[in-house]
């Protein structure tokens, strides 16, 4: 759908909701909506990123299809949310390039980066097929080469996401003020985001269809979130070991980085598999079909990165280690490169929208 059509549909939907207000207790979208009498693109982007696509308001709605008003808030806001990622992406053309990326595109990226890591290994370390004993990754891709490549790509991803989220906050923070400013808004927004408070509006479990509540969507999201954070913590601890204490990898199976990474990897695998299944089984009316590629490619990249990371740990002293290392590094690179333009950013936009909401600018 074109941007002007999205804006027209969003305005129509929220104007009907604003007159009706039946769902005002469900989530922050409705109180924020009620502060407005008209809906510009920036208002729609803000409300769309406040929505967690819990789905409650579709099944509660007396104006949902086949009613002639055709009100479907979860889908309308999902479409606008996707457009907002693209609009605020930096550099913007990359947001457009990655818009349609699919599982096939993700696999091509993993293959290309894996081939590149094999080449790096050949040029700077030891040809990957000849794995050294003891699981020494740095004998295959030297530490300096790894830091240079991953540092540059990670820094780019962080800067690109920071620019996008800053643009978003700058635009939406100027909305109508609530009755009074609230304190501690950043902590409340973060707390709501990590506990996924708004993923289920009226009950403890998520809606996956009419009269159907299951905990799987919530649990899968938690597994992915905490798995990602554990893997990040594992890498950070390993970096401190290396640079501060001079303790060089490989680390023992009982060491802090390996334990954190193992739990994180298993949580990511389970969470990604759960999200894939939940997506396939959830009522299609709740989602935006044009987001399928974005969702699936992100889940695929996370799954491959976790699976190869765990396999590398188990097989680090085998002859397969070199090739596995190249595929693992290639999949992590593909994941990092696509982070600012893929589904990953939805977490940051949600936290930003919740923060704006919590600090009293509704
Ligand atoms: S989703 Fe439907 S029932 Fe809920 S506020 Fe909007 S129009 Fe009313
Ligand atoms: S889908 Fe859920 S989170 Fe989104 S607007 Fe409706 S009730 Fe709120």
């Amino acid at each position: 759908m074109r941007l002007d059509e999205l804006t027209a549909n969003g305005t129509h939907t929220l104007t009907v909701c604003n007159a009706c207000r039946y769902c005002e207790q469900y989530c922050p979208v409705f109180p924020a909506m009620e502060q407005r009498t008209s809906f510009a693109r920036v208002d729609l982007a803000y409300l769309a990123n406040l929505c967690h696509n819990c789905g409650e308001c579709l099944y509660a709605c007396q104006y949902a299809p086949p009613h002639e008003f055709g009100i479907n808030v979860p889908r309308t806001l999902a479409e606008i949310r996707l457009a907002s990622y693209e609009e605020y992406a930096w550099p913007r053309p990359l947001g457009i390039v990655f818009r349609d990326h699919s599982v096939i595109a993700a696999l091509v990226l993993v293959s290309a980066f894996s081939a590149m890591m094999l080449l790096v290994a050949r040029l700077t370390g030891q040809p990957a097929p000849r794995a050294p004993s003891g699981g020494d990754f740095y004998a295959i891709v030297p530490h300096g080469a790894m830091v240079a490549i991953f540092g540059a790509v990670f820094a780019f991803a962080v800067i690109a996401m920071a620019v996008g989220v800053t643009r978003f906050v700058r635009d939406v923070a100027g909305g109508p003020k609530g009755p009074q400013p609230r304190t501690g808004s950043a902590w409340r927004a973060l707390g709501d985001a990590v506990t996924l408070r708004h993923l289920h509006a009226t009950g403890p479990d998520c809606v996956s269809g009419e009269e159907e509540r299951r905990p799987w969507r919530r649990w899968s999201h938690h597994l992915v979130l905490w798995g990602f954070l554990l893997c990040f913590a594992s890498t950070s601890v390993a970096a401190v070991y290396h640079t501060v204490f001079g303790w060089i990898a490989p680390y023992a199976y009982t060491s802090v980085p390996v334990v954190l990474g193992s739990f994180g990897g298993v949580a990511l695998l389970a969470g990604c598999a759960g999200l894939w299944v939940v997506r396939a089984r959830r009522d299609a009316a709740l989602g935006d079909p044009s987001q399928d590629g974005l969702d699936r490619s992100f889940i695929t990249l996370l799954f491959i990165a976790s699976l190869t990371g765990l396999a590398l740990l188990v097989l680090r002293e085998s002859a397969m280690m070199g090739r596995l290392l190249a595929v693992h590094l290639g999949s992590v690179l593909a994941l990092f490169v696509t982070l600012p333009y893929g589904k990953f950013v939805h977490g940051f936009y949600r936290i930003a929208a919740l923060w704006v909401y919590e600090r009293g600018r509704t």
Side-chain angles (χ1 to χ4, degrees), residues 19-361:
C20 165
R21 302 193 173 185
Y22 178 79
C23 301
E24 64 183 358
Q25 300 298 324
Y26 282 174
C27 72
V29 170
F30 293 93
M33 175 197 74
E34 289 168 11
Q35 297 295 319
R36 290 163 168 78
T37 51
S38 60
F39 300 95
R41 252 189 24 224
V42 62
D43 298 303
L44 294 174
Y46 168 53
L47 297 170
N49 281 287
L50 266 184
C51 169
H52 286 52
N53 196 253
C54 80
E56 294 270 3
C57 59
L58 175 64
Y59 301 122
C61 186
Q62 60 269 42
Y63 304 118
H67 191 282
E68 61 183 313
F69 287 176
I71 302 299
N72 182 338
V73 176
R75 173 172 287 183
T76 301
L77 293 186
E79 290 167 346
I80 295 168
R81 210 161 40 243
L82 182 65
S84 75
Y85 302 155
E86 195 177 303
E87 184 171 0
Y88 290 109
W90 180 87
R92 204 162 278 157
L94 280 183
I96 296 166
V97 168
F98 279 93
R99 174 178 48 196
D100 299 323
H101 73 279
S102 59
V103 173
I104 303 284
L107 294 176
V108 168
L109 270 182
V110 170
S111 307
F113 282 122
S114 301
M116 186 188 90
M117 291 315 300
L118 282 172
L119 187 64
V120 170
R122 183 166 289 277
L123 295 176
T124 61
Q126 180 171 316
R130 274 186 273 134
S133 61
D136 183 3
F137 306 139
Y138 298 141
I140 293 176
V141 180
H143 182 259
M146 231 187 259
V147 169
I149 294 169
F150 281 81
V153 173
F154 186 66
F156 169 76
V158 169
I159 292 169
M161 286 188 286
V163 172
V165 174
T166 305
R167 282 174 169 170
F168 172 71
V169 171
R170 186 196 56 205
D171 273 6
V172 305
K177 282 185 181 170
Q180 53 190 340
R182 289 167 280 197
T183 54
S185 48
W187 288 113
R188 270 205 306 280
L190 206 55
D192 285 354
V194 297
T195 56
L196 301 175
R197 181 175 164 205
H198 302 296
L199 209 62
H200 39 101
T202 59
D205 289 330
C206 299
V207 177
S208 44
E210 195 155 12
E211 304 294 332
E212 192 185 341
R213 286 177 190 279
R214 299 274 186 275
W216 313 122
R217 182 166 177 253
R218 182 164 49 92
W219 288 5
S220 301
H221 270 88
H222 275 302
L223 283 168
V224 168
L225 171 65
W226 292 105
F228 192 87
L229 291 177
L230 282 172
C231 289
F232 187 73
S234 163
T235 308
S236 304
V237 172
V240 171
Y241 276 15
H242 189 100
T243 52
V244 178
F245 299 109
W247 299 340
I248 309 297
Y251 302 115
Y253 286 114
T254 52
S255 65
V256 175
V258 173
V259 171
L260 289 174
S262 303
F263 277 113
V266 171
L268 278 174
L269 278 184
C272 289
L275 283 179
W276 190 280
V277 174
V278 164
R279 282 194 80 271
R281 295 176 59 93
R282 204 166 183 236
D283 183 353
L286 293 169
D288 167 18
S290 62
Q291 279 198 32
D292 281 356
L294 211 64
D295 288 352
R296 290 206 175 106
S297 59
F298 177 59
I299 295 172
T300 303
L301 284 175
L302 261 186
F303 191 86
I304 295 174
S306 324
L307 186 67
T308 51
L310 288 172
L312 194 56
L313 186 65
V314 174
L315 300 171
R316 67 184 183 181
E317 294 186 29
S318 79
M320 292 174 64
M321 190 270 262
R323 290 191 185 92
L324 263 177
L325 179 67
V327 176
H328 177 61
L329 296 180
S331 59
V332 175
L333 272 179
L335 183 65
F336 280 4
V337 164
T338 55
L339 282 184
Y341 316 103
K343 193 59 192 276
F344 183 77
V345 292
H346 80 290
F348 294 109
Y349 283 103
R350 285 248 167 76
I351 293 171
L354 285 168
W355 173 65
V356 171
Y357 176 76
E358 285 292 342
R359 81 183 187 145
R361 281 192 182 273

